[in-house]
Amino acid sequence: MKDVQINKIAVVGTGVIGNGWIARALAQGFDVIATDPAEGAEDRMREAVDRAWPSLTKSGLAPTASRERLTFTSDIETAVEDADLIQENVPEREELKRKVLQTIDTFAKKDAIIASSTSGIKPTVLQQDCMYPERVIVAHPFNPVYILPLVEIVGGEKTNSSVLERAVAIYEKLNMKPLVIRHEIEGHVADRLMEALWREALHLVNDGIATTEEVDAAIIYGAGLRWAQMGPFLTFHLAGGDQGMRHMLGQFGPALKLPWTKLEAPELTEELKEKVIQGCEQQAGNTSIAELEEKRNEFLVRLLDLVEEYRTESESIS
Amino acid sequence: MKDVQINKIAVVGTGVIGNGWIARALAQGFDVIATDPAEGAEDRMREAVDRAWPSLTKSGLAPTASRERLTFTSDIETAVEDADLIQENVPEREELKRKVLQTIDTFAKKDAIIASSTSGIKPTVLQQDCMYPERVIVAHPFNPVYILPLVEIVGGEKTNSSVLERAVAIYEKLNMKPLVIRHEIEGHVADRLMEALWREALHLVNDGIATTEEVDAAIIYGAGLRWAQMGPFLTFHLAGGDQGMRHMLGQFGPALKLPWTKLEAPELTEELKEKVIQGCEQQAGNTSIAELEEKRNEFLVRLLDLVEEYRTESESIS
């Protein structure tokens, strides 16, 4: 892994996502400088950091963490000029993001990494107006940014691969799980998955099949419990009995033709089957399905106790 | 709520799902009789129940729970004749399920409830060959059935509404969260949501965008953590800042037109907007967004500690 020397992080745009980055970076012991042109932005930012701080304290602050290491300036040039990482979080409009990234690119140090939090725009699109596009990436976090570990790292056509490596090391220092996406697509990977579920949920409400509360209940009492510990592929690997995903695809493959969602499935070719089966077997590694099951069960029993304390659903679903 | 007197549960078909029902029913202190024509089915069933028992013990057994209250017969008539609830779990093929349900209907007590565990077939289709279709329903559980609380209850055109009420009371006695689906559709509700995400995941793997492991990581380190406690609607309600879902739909509504998934979104009409916004506001009830946030944060901090112990992902994702 690259040696990454990083002292100062600049955060451009202090909405929900920007403020989440600020709180996370402070908690991990970095100097942070933030900028936002909106009136009252600094006050809202400091309030947001204060609201996040108790959770961050419970998670464990870095020894050098301090809210006093946060400064604010309404001047973007001042904010970015000596930062090692610049995280952009302006509203999700392509032309605006491109303009802001161009400004950042002009004033940032040559070896600074410039990362956009964009949910859906490709880095190749975002970096095209920059003089030094090789250090421009997407680093897409998830709300609440100061707690959830996932960050998708995506390079554009002009991004240097060594920059991606440095970025991974930096986000690991921010106590995150960087997931490098090798092929840029709109919505990256996580939002593709969430957006599919979200659009299906909107169809169900639109068609009068279920209320928002019923849709939420259909997730939190079932799949949502599993997905905190195990993703959809490994979950189905375990649903296939001792033969795992191979049995599963044999048995439920035909269901891909059924109208169980408004989304058309890909053709289940031999090639796709093998990709999926071998992917799951590799994920399981040397752990047997019985052992995976035992671990999952222990987890679920403890998770059910935990969610019981924190459920927000009303009791009216049945 | 109806007074439900239920002593004996019959389970027809002892695969992964059937055995899950058996373990759950025994743990809640019921007599269970199981039937399956396959050779060696009884042994596999008893092994499956033994494997589930430690988790069930940790969750808390009913005082009268005992594995000795389980009997097995290869004869379906004997299995169903004096049961109060008959849960059918034969393979997911329409003609087979219809035939088995017809047999159950012939030999069951007139006031017994007959429930199919089908993932996707509508109850109206399943009940059509029965003499007493008014007591035939779908009761669709989630794997592992002995731990996950969700069960979708769906009536067909000929189902009596009082049967649905009795079914809800029965599944609550089985320590489950029954979700009554008012309009039957293929895949009910939960599988619609899961299937959309699953098909998108298959597209991502098929198109070479991500491996199965990367897809799983994109869920478990992000959305999966949230969905154990809060569904997709309430999650977005919190992502919208103080204005909640109203702000969220204003800001991200246009993204429904973008190619962020292979699934086409419904038109975001004023009517759909209001359904979604008012649904979320009703779910939130008198709890402010700040309070919901605080609760979510506390939950997530504790959940992250818990998943840390039980992660199955290899460390190779970045």
Side-chain angles (χ1 to χ4, degrees):
Chain A
M1 185 177 292
K2 287 258 173 178
D3 173 43
V4 285
Q5 202 55 28
I6 167 170
N7 299 306
K8 195 175 195 176
I9 296 174
V11 174
V12 176
T14 57
V16 172
I17 298 298
N19 289 335
W21 278 117
I22 292 166
R24 174 177 283 275
L26 291 171
Q28 296 304 320
F30 291 96
D31 286 321
V32 179
I33 183 161
T35 185
D36 194 298
E39 203 167 329
E42 181 173 2
D43 287 348
R44 285 194 299 275
M45 171 191 79
R46 294 197 185 274
E47 276 167 36
V49 170
D50 288 346
R51 274 212 309 275
W53 211 251
S55 300
L56 288 162
T57 306
K58 273 183 205 139
S59 303
L61 298 171
T64 54
S66 165
R67 278 174 282 183
E68 289 174 16
R69 295 177 67 179
L70 171 60
T71 53
F72 183 89
T73 168
S74 58
D75 180 41
I76 188 168
E77 299 176 23
T78 310
V80 306
E81 66 188 1
D82 60 350
D84 304 294
L85 170 70
I86 297 130
Q87 188 79 35
E88 169 276 308
N89 320 274
V90 303
E92 194 73 9
R93 296 198 305 272
E94 186 186 316
E95 67 286 9
L96 175 64
K97 284 205 182 269
R98 279 170 61 178
K99 196 161 168 287
V100 170
L101 288 166
Q102 194 180 19
T103 305
I104 295 171
D105 177 64
T106 306
F107 295 101
K109 293 191 298 184
K110 299 287 169 287
D111 62 346
I113 289 182
I114 303 175
S116 171
S117 297
T118 181
S119 308
I121 308 170
K122 293 179 186 178
T124 293
V125 172
L126 293 174
Q127 72 191 174
Q128 61 186 296
D129 311 308
C130 294
M131 278 188 302
Y132 305 98
E134 67 278 2
R135 42 67 178 276
V136 175
I137 63 170
V138 163
H140 174 230
F142 296 81
N143 192 45
V145 178
Y146 50 95
I147 303 183
L148 293 191
L150 184 62
V151 57
E152 292 177 301
I153 308 288
V154 200
E157 280 168 19
K158 293 186 181 159
T159 305
N160 192 315
S161 64
S162 71
V163 168
L164 292 176
E165 279 175 47
R166 267 171 62 214
V168 165
I170 289 173
Y171 290 103
E172 282 176 348
K173 285 200 176 187
L174 283 167
N175 202 24
M176 298 181 92
K177 282 281 179 187
L179 178 63
V180 178
I181 311 296
R182 284 160 307 188
H183 301 280
E184 51 178 340
I185 52 171
E186 286 93 350
H188 324 315
V189 165
D191 276 357
R192 299 290 284 215
L193 299 164
M194 279 191 269
E195 187 74 12
L197 189 142
W198 171 240
R199 290 185 186 187
E200 191 73 29
L202 287 175
H203 278 295
L204 290 168
V205 171
N206 197 42
D207 295 347
I209 305 297
T211 64
T212 62
E213 182 163 20
E214 288 164 351
V215 166
D216 279 0
I219 289 293
I220 62 178
Y221 294 109
L225 292 168
R226 302 189 296 217
W227 286 336
Q229 183 236 2
M230 201 177 275
F233 282 105
L234 213 58
T235 296
F236 279 165
H237 188 54
L238 263 69
D242 294 341
Q243 287 234 4
M245 185 54 92
R246 191 172 296 279
H247 174 78
M248 172 72 200
L249 286 181
Q251 195 173 8
F252 284 96
L256 289 174
K257 303 284 188 197
L258 298 174
W260 282 15
T261 153
K262 302 227 177 195
L263 197 161
E264 294 292 317
E267 192 66 39
L268 194 59
T269 60
E270 282 308 307
E271 195 191 339
L272 176 54
K273 268 193 193 170
E274 285 309 311
K275 263 193 192 177
V276 169
I277 293 163
Q278 282 165 29
C280 286
E281 285 172 355
Q282 197 184 315
Q283 278 173 258
N286 293 322
T287 315
S288 73
I289 290 189
E291 287 167 308
L292 287 171
E293 241 181 48
E294 200 183 320
K295 201 166 166 185
R296 174 201 65 189
N297 288 357
E298 272 185 41
F299 169 78
L300 285 175
V301 168
R302 291 182 59 188
L303 176 57
L304 278 169
D305 283 343
L306 186 61
V307 292
E308 205 54 49
E309 289 181 52
Y310 291 98
R311 283 277 186 229
T312 59
E313 298 307 291
S314 63
E315 289 302 304
S316 63
I317 64 149
S318 59
Chain B
M1 185 176 293
K2 286 257 171 180
D3 173 43
V4 286
Q5 202 56 28
I6 166 170
N7 299 305
K8 194 175 196 177
I9 296 174
V11 174
V12 176
T14 58
V16 172
I17 298 298
N19 288 336
W21 279 116
I22 293 166
R24 173 177 285 275
L26 290 172
Q28 297 303 320
F30 291 97
D31 285 321
V32 179
I33 183 161
T35 184
D36 194 300
E39 202 166 330
E42 181 173 2
D43 287 348
R44 284 194 298 275
M45 172 193 78
R46 294 197 185 273
E47 275 167 36
V49 170
D50 288 345
R51 274 213 308 274
W53 212 251
S55 301
L56 289 163
T57 306
K58 273 183 205 138
S59 303
L61 298 171
T64 55
S66 166
R67 278 173 282 184
E68 289 174 15
R69 296 176 69 179
L70 170 61
T71 52
F72 183 89
T73 168
S74 57
D75 179 41
I76 187 167
E77 298 175 25
T78 310
V80 307
E81 67 188 1
D82 61 351
D84 304 294
L85 170 69
I86 297 130
Q87 189 79 35
E88 169 276 309
N89 319 274
V90 303
E92 194 74 8
R93 296 197 305 273
E94 186 185 315
E95 68 287 7
L96 175 65
K97 284 200 181 272
R98 279 170 60 178
K99 196 161 168 284
V100 170
L101 288 166
Q102 194 179 21
T103 305
I104 295 170
D105 177 64
T106 306
F107 296 100
K109 292 190 298 185
K110 298 289 167 286
D111 62 346
I113 289 182
I114 302 175
S116 171
S117 297
T118 181
S119 308
I121 307 170
K122 293 178 186 178
T124 294
V125 172
L126 293 173
Q127 71 191 175
Q128 62 186 296
D129 312 307
C130 294
M131 277 188 302
Y132 305 100
E134 66 278 3
R135 41 69 176 274
V136 175
I137 63 168
V138 163
H140 175 231
F142 295 80
N143 192 46
V145 179
Y146 49 95
I147 304 182
L148 293 191
L150 183 63
V151 57
E152 291 178 301
I153 309 287
V154 200
E157 281 168 18
K158 294 185 180 158
T159 305
N160 192 316
S161 65
S162 71
V163 169
L164 292 177
E165 279 175 48
R166 266 170 63 215
V168 166
I170 289 173
Y171 291 101
E172 281 175 349
K173 285 198 176 189
L174 284 166
N175 202 24
M176 299 181 89
K177 282 281 178 187
L179 178 64
V180 178
I181 312 295
R182 283 160 307 188
H183 302 279
E184 51 179 339
I185 52 172
E186 286 93 351
H188 324 315
V189 166
D191 276 358
R192 298 292 282 214
L193 300 164
M194 279 191 268
E195 187 74 12
L197 189 142
W198 171 240
R199 290 185 186 188
E200 191 73 29
L202 287 175
H203 277 295
L204 289 168
V205 171
N206 196 43
D207 295 348
I209 306 296
T211 64
T212 62
E213 182 163 21
E214 288 164 350
V215 166
D216 279 1
I219 290 294
I220 61 178
Y221 294 109
L225 292 169
R226 301 189 296 217
W227 285 335
Q229 183 236 2
M230 200 178 272
F233 282 106
L234 213 57
T235 296
F236 280 166
H237 188 53
L238 264 69
D242 293 340
Q243 288 234 5
M245 185 55 91
R246 192 172 294 281
H247 174 78
M248 172 71 200
L249 286 181
Q251 196 172 6
F252 283 95
L256 289 174
K257 303 285 188 198
L258 298 175
W260 283 15
T261 152
K262 302 228 177 191
L263 197 159
E264 294 292 319
E267 192 65 39
L268 194 60
T269 59
E270 282 308 307
E271 195 192 338
L272 176 54
K273 267 193 192 170
E274 285 310 310
K275 263 194 192 175
V276 169
I277 292 163
Q278 282 165 29
C280 286
E281 286 171 356
Q282 198 184 317
Q283 279 173 259
N286 293 322
T287 316
S288 73
I289 289 188
E291 286 168 308
L292 287 171
E293 241 180 49
E294 201 183 319
K295 202 167 165 184
R296 175 201 65 189
N297 288 356
E298 273 185 40
F299 170 78
L300 285 175
V301 168
R302 290 182 59 188
L303 176 57
L304 278 169
D305 283 343
L306 185 62
V307 291
E308 205 54 50
E309 290 182 52
Y310 291 98
R311 282 278 185 229
T312 59
E313 298 307 292
S314 62
E315 289 301 305
S316 64
I317 64 149
S318 60

